[in-house]
């Protein structure tokens, strides 16, 4: 199985700051194959960037679904280097560079996190979904990095603790911006000794991601 990575993230006052923010992270704007504008649109000044493929998702109610799909494209080698940009409050944006092993090899840049999207079962209820994910992790997770933390909806607490009793709860601050909440969770996870955790999206159907700090 290939892998998908989170390389860098940054908050921007205006989209015009994107090229400089990318370069500070070690990326050249021309390396980006696709830009996904989530819950917002590209600026009118299209000259801020070399023109890769750009996709607008102006009213996206379930960003985790799109994120899940893009990670699978990276894993399957359909794409290699993507930029996710989500509009935050006061017209600010939060952005993340996502990539594949090809990105690592081509540009010699280390990722911050490895992401593995977990299979999404039909609506089975928490107990069955968690059991399915536990089985999947036993086959695909690194046994040397056992699951040390989890972020999950509050109504799943008892079931999560029964299936993953060793995992420490991780509760990022609330935010209406999906990427901002994920970014905050990643920052919190850095203070924990275990590099591996499971992120379960708050919104039904509760997509899940294995995250490993690199």
């Amino acid at each position: 199985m290939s892998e998908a990575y989170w390389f860098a993230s940054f908050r921007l006052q205006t989209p015009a700051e994107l090229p400089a923010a990318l370069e500070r992270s070690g990326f050249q704007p021309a390396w980006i194959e696709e830009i996904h504008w989530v819950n917002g649109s590209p600026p009118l000044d299209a000259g801020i960037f070399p023109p890769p493929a750009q996709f607008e998702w102006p009213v996206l109610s379930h960003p985790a679904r799109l994120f899940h799909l893009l990670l699978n494209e990276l894993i399957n080698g359909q794409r290699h280097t993507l930029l996710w940009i989500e509009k935050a409050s006061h017209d600010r944006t939060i952005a993340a560079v996502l990539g594949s092993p090809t990105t690592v090899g081509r540009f010699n840049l280390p990722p911050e996190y490895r992401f593995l999207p977990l299979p999404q079962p039909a609506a089975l209820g928490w107990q069955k979904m968690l059991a399915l994910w536990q089985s999947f992790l036993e086959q695909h997770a690194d046994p040397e990095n056992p699951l040390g933390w989890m972020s999950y909806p509050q109504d799943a607490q008892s079931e999560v603790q029964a299936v993953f009793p060793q995992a420490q709860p991780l509760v990022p601050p609330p935010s209406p911006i999906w990427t901002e909440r994920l970014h905050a969770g990643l920052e919190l996870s850095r203070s924990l000794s275990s590099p591996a955790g499971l992120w379960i999206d708050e919104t039904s159907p509760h997509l899940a991601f294995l995250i490993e700090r690199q």
Side-chain angles (χ1 to χ4, degrees):
M1 175 177 289
S2 185
E3 298 182 331
Y5 299 118
W6 171 294
F7 284 87
S9 56
F10 27 83
R11 292 182 174 85
L12 307 168
Q13 294 293 331
T14 68
E17 298 173 358
L18 271 171
L22 278 170
E23 289 178 4
R24 285 194 299 270
S25 300
F27 282 84
Q28 296 295 322
W31 297 349
I32 303 298
E33 296 174 52
E34 291 182 358
I35 303 177
H36 291 266
W37 301 86
V38 180
N39 291 325
S41 299
L44 295 177
D45 179 12
I48 66 168
F49 232 76
Q54 300 194 53
F55 297 89
E56 297 180 50
W57 311 92
V59 185
L60 189 61
S61 61
H62 203 325
R65 179 58 174 156
L66 175 61
F67 195 81
H68 200 276
L69 289 170
L70 293 179
L71 291 179
N72 276 301
E73 288 195 354
L74 294 170
I75 288 170
N76 293 324
Q78 296 168 268
R79 302 290 182 272
H80 296 296
T81 312
L82 311 177
L83 184 61
W84 173 286
I85 305 175
E86 187 170 2
K87 185 177 180 181
S89 56
H90 306 296
D91 293 325
R92 291 180 296 179
T93 55
I94 183 165
V97 181
L98 308 176
S100 72
T102 297
T103 305
V104 177
R106 182 177 293 167
F107 306 125
N108 195 28
L109 289 170
E112 294 183 356
Y113 303 93
R114 171 188 177 234
F115 272 73
L116 179 62
L118 273 62
Q120 180 56 41
L124 301 174
W126 282 118
Q127 189 173 7
K128 290 184 178 179
M129 283 198 300
L130 289 165
L132 176 69
W133 290 333
Q134 182 186 44
S135 176
F136 180 83
L137 292 172
E138 288 172 353
Q139 299 175 53
H140 298 285
D142 184 351
E144 296 185 3
N145 290 329
L147 207 65
W149 60 266
M150 290 185 66
S151 179
Y152 50 83
Q154 187 62 33
D155 65 349
Q157 182 173 350
S158 60
E159 290 89 347
V160 166
Q161 292 177 347
V163 178
F164 298 102
Q166 79 286 2
Q168 179 177 340
L170 185 144
V171 185
S175 171
I177 310 304
W178 188 82
T179 315
E180 195 163 50
R181 181 173 169 82
L182 176 60
H183 178 271
L186 295 177
E187 289 297 304
L188 283 174
S189 75
R190 299 189 74 85
S191 65
L192 304 177
S193 59
S194 174
L198 185 63
W199 178 280
I200 303 175
D201 189 48
E202 292 276 340
T203 306
S204 178
H206 307 298
L207 294 163
F209 309 90
L210 172 67
I211 302 172
E212 293 179 341
R213 188 170 66 244
Q214 300 296 289

